[in-house]
Amino acid sequence: MAGTKTAPHATWADAKNFAIAIGRKVKQGTALARWVFVHPCSIIRANEYVRREVKQCPEGFDKCTKEGRDTFDTFPSQADVAKLSKFLGKDLETGCAYVRTVYQHHGQVVHVPAGWLHQVENLQDCVKIAWDRMVPERMAAYMATWQLVLASVIKSNAPDYMAATGVLWVAVQKL
């Protein structure tokens, strides 16, 4: 549904998201959704920024996501996203920004890297199909991401909803 947003969240596995326009015809080149990504190594600093700068979320992402409030509602424009990006800066080795914006178009697949905090705003009516992808070679990264994002930032003691224990057991058996 156009105008809807997800709360900021992160998954610990790599994910893919496929978008299909529905309803009225969408003009060629018109984006269906805007994605805002925050690099995993800057999530803690981004959380501090939210605590300090976003009055609706003085406790950071933890309180905003648990109570169903959408932290990034206060960053609806590119100018606001640019403020967060300026605060977080760029990776000194790669020169890549820690905050990235991606516009998703009809038929396009967006790759969601493990651990990247992200929020999606639907700009047009669309249907999305999402799936997680786990490969044994990246299990250590997935587990570290899960620990960082869920334990350090969201402060969750959530159950093993992605069945990491079972996946690790299968991976160890194949070694």
Side-chain angles (χ1 to χ4, degrees):
M1 172 86 47
T4 59
K5 294 181 182 182
T6 64
H9 62 286
T11 57
W12 61 274
D14 294 308
K16 301 282 186 185
N17 185 289
F18 176 70
I20 304 167
I22 59 171
R24 63 182 172 77
K25 288 190 175 186
V26 176
K27 286 177 66 177
Q28 184 71 15
T30 303
L32 298 179
R34 179 177 68 161
W35 293 69
V36 176
F37 289 93
V38 178
H39 192 282
C41 73
S42 62
I43 290 174
I44 293 172
R45 287 189 62 228
N47 198 35
E48 291 168 4
Y49 177 87
V50 167
R51 284 184 183 147
R52 207 172 43 250
E53 302 295 328
V54 181
K55 294 184 183 359
Q56 301 93 314
C57 298
E59 296 179 47
F61 296 127
D62 179 39
K63 211 57 165 172
C64 291
T65 56
K66 283 184 182 172
E67 293 181 5
R69 286 183 282 164
D70 190 347
T71 304
F72 277 35
D73 270 349
T74 58
F75 300 101
S77 71
Q78 280 300 101
D80 290 328
V81 172
K83 288 178 187 175
L84 177 61
S85 184
K86 183 177 179 182
F87 173 77
L88 294 175
K90 295 182 178 185
D91 183 304
L92 296 176
E93 287 183 28
T94 65
C96 294
Y98 287 123
V99 176
R100 300 180 189 164
T101 300
V102 173
Y103 287 91
Q104 185 177 27
H105 296 85
H106 174 74
Q108 183 180 12
V109 175
V110 170
H111 173 72
V112 182
W116 282 68
L117 186 72
H118 58 282
Q119 185 217 5
V120 185
E121 177 183 9
N122 293 314
L123 304 172
Q124 307 281 335
D125 289 341
C126 59
V127 172
K128 293 197 181 97
I129 301 168
W131 62 97
D132 293 331
R133 181 172 181 262
M134 295 180 281
V135 293
E137 297 82 18
R138 293 197 23 91
M139 283 309 290
Y142 300 151
M143 297 308 288
T145 298
W146 188 24
Q147 185 176 25
L148 169 71
V149 174
L150 292 180
S152 300
V153 178
I154 307 297
K155 296 187 178 26
S156 170
N157 289 324
D160 186 5
Y161 81 99
M162 295 282 290
T165 307
V167 173
L168 282 173
W169 177 249
V170 171
V172 168
Q173 288 179 325
K174 290 186 178 193
L175 291 177

